[in-house]
Amino acid sequence: MRLETSSWTDVDEASPTTALLPVGSTEQHGPHAPVGTDTFVARAIANAADRESDAESIIGPTIPVGIAPYHGNFPGTCSVSAETFRRYVRDIVESIADSSVETVVFVNGHGGNGETLSHLAREVTTADEIDCEAYLWEWMRAVDEHVGHAGELETAVLLHLRPDDVDDPVAGDAATWADTVDGGVVHQFTDAFSENGAVGDATDASPEQGERVFETAVDALVSFLERVRPADGDEGRETGESAQS
């Protein structure tokens, strides 16, 4: 059930107990992929999981701009500060929580959002003034293979979901996103190590591969929803460090 295409009476009648909140980004994804890549993927996975899950779920509004200052030297990139992002998402969660919803799951498609969303999930869950629990879920963690930036896997998923929006896939000017050195994180702008903005080689990406990766991610989210959704007639639910990591 999608909030944006439902009336308030539809929502009232359905009384969903779990809300999926897709969170993406508007940022460069190399010369072949659209700047809305992370948003498209997060929304598509949330929609598919909502259809396949037995949870009484509703899909909230997609958040299209996240934390991506390191892509800022490429045209088309939009970004907000971590504090603006955290406050905005928290306000949305508070609005959602003022209803039948007891559980909110952030369906995140952009790595730069992860740390802030993780802390926010814990903050929401422990806040006395917000009557719901929040969890972070990321498709990049749900698949077994490494997901680069506009690399093979991400491009393959796009070729499956939105083939008309993808130009001829290219190899990135960097093979990996190496920002951890000797146990420390080196903060740098993407164009400092990848002139074309892509990380990884997308030339072998295919729609068939993308469909397999997409289905793996959707299955993982459906399983996660089963784990954290409110139990029927029981306020207890499975929680823990792993669920809100």
Side-chain angles (χ1 to χ4, degrees):
M1 180 180 187
R2 293 171 59 193
L3 179 59
E4 62 186 351
T5 58
S6 304
S7 68
W8 76 263
T9 54
D10 292 334
V11 178
D12 185 51
E13 181 179 357
S15 296
T17 56
T18 298
L20 306 179
L21 191 62
V23 188
S25 184
T26 301
E27 63 183 46
Q28 71 83 21
H29 269 77
H32 63 278
V35 297
T37 290
D38 294 342
T39 301
F40 297 150
V41 175
R43 181 191 294 126
I45 291 174
N47 286 338
D50 176 66
R51 291 192 299 267
E52 296 183 19
S53 173
D54 292 331
E56 297 174 345
S57 57
I58 189 168
I59 305 168
T62 303
I63 298 172
V65 177
I67 304 169
Y70 42 89
H71 292 303
N73 290 335
F74 290 91
T77 295
C78 298
S79 182
V80 294
S81 70
E83 178 54 32
T84 297
F85 179 74
R86 187 199 68 81
R87 181 70 259 180
Y88 183 68
V89 177
R90 180 184 166 119
D91 285 351
I92 293 174
V93 172
E94 288 193 53
S95 298
I96 293 174
D98 191 22
S99 66
S100 58
V101 170
E102 300 176 44
T103 301
V104 175
V105 177
F106 303 130
V107 181
N108 183 36
H110 171 53
N113 297 335
E115 183 176 358
T116 299
L117 289 175
S118 177
H119 288 301
L120 179 58
R122 295 178 185 274
E123 179 183 317
V124 166
T125 299
T126 57
D128 292 336
E129 68 274 18
I130 305 178
D131 191 19
C132 76
E133 294 188 356
Y135 298 87
L136 170 62
W137 182 91
E138 298 181 304
W139 79 272
M140 303 83 75
R141 295 187 185 190
V143 299
D144 292 334
E145 302 171 74
H146 173 71
V147 177
H149 183 75
E152 183 174 349
L153 290 192
E154 194 167 43
T155 301
V157 172
L158 281 174
L159 288 171
H160 166 59
L161 294 175
R162 306 177 69 98
D164 292 341
D165 292 330
V166 183
D167 291 330
D168 292 335
V170 304
D173 288 330
T176 60
W177 198 300
D179 60 354
T180 302
V181 180
D182 298 330
V185 177
V186 179
H187 298 292
Q188 53 189 332
F189 284 86
T190 313
D191 62 325
F193 58 89
S194 177
E195 185 175 349
N196 68 2
V199 179
D201 188 349
T203 55
D204 289 333
S206 69
E208 295 77 17
Q209 178 189 29
E211 183 177 15
R212 291 193 298 271
V213 173
F214 181 77
E215 290 179 350
T216 296
V218 171
D219 288 346
L221 180 52
V222 170
S223 178
F224 185 76
L225 293 177
E226 183 63 28
R227 179 183 297 273
V228 302
R229 71 173 185 170
D232 295 337
D234 185 358
E235 295 182 356
R237 70 203 72 171
E238 292 188 41
T239 59
E241 294 294 316
S242 60
Q244 298 180 43
S245 61

